[in-house]
Amino acid sequence: MFYFSLLTMVLFSTPPNTNDILPAFRDSIIQGNGSGAVEMISEHAINVVDSVLANDPEQIARIVSYFGIELDLPDEGITDARQILTDILSDSSVAGMVMLMGVSSGDPIRYGGRTFVPVEWGFPGSRNTLFIEIVIENEQWKIDDYFETIPSMRSS
């Protein structure tokens, strides 16, 4: 029974297509499942966070302070991006902000050989859109980066 439960969790934990990844990521955050959310982030993105932690850990601390989160940063030279991201994405303050801001994703857009998903957030009457780039890694869609506009697109 345990192995069946474990297999079920593995099979259903990572979304199979582009329309599922961001809603599943949002739901993991809302449920306080930071480790599940981190599994949906690409290795490239994890490495970027790890590099920032190695070179300017206070930058991460400043960013998460907007959510009211105080990070217990590791000693100098020691980085563990996965654990720090898990801690951040498991925090109830982040879940509350995601719900308060009404985060919702749209249909994927393919542009220049890349795939982006528009994500609306904000308050009624004051909504913004970010574009989340997703990539295939180990046959799974993963979150890789975000942009205010799709790279190389010009606004009219």
Side-chain angles (χ1 to χ4, degrees):
M1 182 68 173
F2 172 77
Y3 293 109
F4 177 76
S5 298
L6 184 61
L7 178 63
T8 302
M9 284 178 18
V10 169
L11 289 176
F12 293 106
S13 65
T14 305
N17 68 54
T18 57
N19 290 336
D20 296 338
I21 182 73
L22 291 172
F25 183 74
R26 180 198 59 223
D27 292 348
S28 289
I29 292 170
I30 289 171
Q31 295 165 4
N33 181 6
S35 61
V38 169
E39 290 303 314
M40 295 179 219
I41 298 174
S42 73
E43 280 303 313
H44 170 260
I46 298 286
N47 291 336
V48 168
V49 172
D50 205 39
S51 176
V52 172
L53 284 167
N55 296 304
D56 186 9
E58 289 302 316
Q59 180 181 357
I60 301 286
R62 284 189 302 273
I63 292 169
V64 299
S65 71
Y66 293 114
F67 293 99
I69 299 171
E70 266 188 59
L71 279 183
D72 183 21
L73 294 170
D75 294 332
E76 190 173 316
I78 299 172
T79 61
D80 186 355
R82 287 185 186 285
Q83 185 57 54
I84 289 175
L85 287 170
T86 297
D87 293 347
I88 292 167
L89 296 175
S90 297
D91 194 285
S92 61
S93 299
V94 175
M97 188 63 72
V98 167
M99 289 187 295
L100 182 65
M101 291 295 190
V103 175
S104 64
S105 57
D107 291 329
I109 300 165
R110 298 198 196 288
Y111 183 80
R114 295 162 76 182
T115 304
F116 301 89
V117 179
V119 175
E120 287 191 14
W121 62 279
F123 299 107
S126 179
R127 305 278 296 161
N128 290 307
T129 301
L130 288 175
F131 293 88
I132 308 293
E133 184 172 11
I134 58 175
V135 296
I136 292 182
E137 183 178 279
N138 299 322
E139 300 179 25
Q140 307 262 327
W141 285 102
K142 303 277 183 144
I143 296 167
D144 194 56
D145 208 343
Y146 70 93
F147 306 89
E148 289 184 18
T149 60
I150 295 177
S152 301
M153 279 187 78
R154 304 263 190 260
S155 59
S156 348

